[in-house]
Amino acid sequence: YDHLSFDTYYAADPDDQPPTITYLDGVLNEAQGRGTLKVEASDPSGIVRVLVAYTAGPGQWFSQDLAYDAGTHKWRGEITATRQTLYFVQAVDGAGNVQVAHNKGAYYSLLPPAPLVGGGEPRRIYLPVIVRNH
């Protein structure tokens, strides 16, 4: 590597428990060359930052801060991505503790969007008419 950029977190807070990452999802939009990420993390001291680090090839890593979406209670963001993109996520709590989700060192890959239910032609179901006599 010829260039590194990093942040160091420190706090005098006695809390030494890292935050919990409870949900992580990445979807690839191959046509646009973009990946959408959603992460849910929690900690009693609050989450102050969620960062995704990603690579699409050997030797080059990038990072992108995710933004908190209060409506879904998730951290969201987009990255430039291909089928080869691998990523991991870091969450930082209010006491400076960091949790890393890295798929046991294998990293995560972006998944294609889920297919629409039914896809193609709409289907109709004809049910018998039931008349109730009083």
Side-chain angles (χ1 to χ4, degrees):
Y1 297 102
D2 58 6
H3 177 77
L4 295 173
S5 176
F6 58 91
D7 292 317
T8 302
Y9 290 93
Y10 173 81
D13 193 309
D15 173 7
D16 62 356
Q17 295 300 307
T20 302
I21 296 175
T22 54
Y23 177 84
L24 190 147
D25 185 35
V27 177
L28 174 65
N29 182 333
E30 195 170 5
Q32 292 183 358
R34 305 292 292 165
T36 301
L37 294 133
K38 292 188 285 187
V39 176
E40 185 175 329
S42 62
D43 189 86
S45 65
I47 302 298
V48 296
R49 185 178 189 193
V50 174
L51 181 84
V52 60
Y54 61 98
T55 183
Q60 276 195 315
W61 282 87
F62 305 94
S63 59
Q64 173 71 42
D65 278 295
L66 303 183
Y68 185 70
D69 180 349
T72 62
H73 301 286
K74 291 180 177 54
W75 294 76
R76 302 171 59 101
E78 283 191 353
I79 59 173
T80 301
T82 66
R83 286 185 187 191
Q84 290 74 37
T85 299
L86 298 173
Y87 69 95
F88 66 93
V89 173
Q90 301 171 78
V92 183
D93 70 14
N97 301 303
V98 179
Q99 178 65 275
V100 180
H102 52 70
N103 197 21
K104 298 183 181 180
Y107 306 123
Y108 295 99
S109 57
L110 297 162
L111 301 173
L116 295 174
V117 175
E121 296 279 326
R123 298 182 184 179
R124 294 185 174 93
I125 298 175
Y126 295 95
L127 300 173
V129 175
I130 299 173
V131 178
R132 182 176 167 184
N133 292 328
H134 296 280

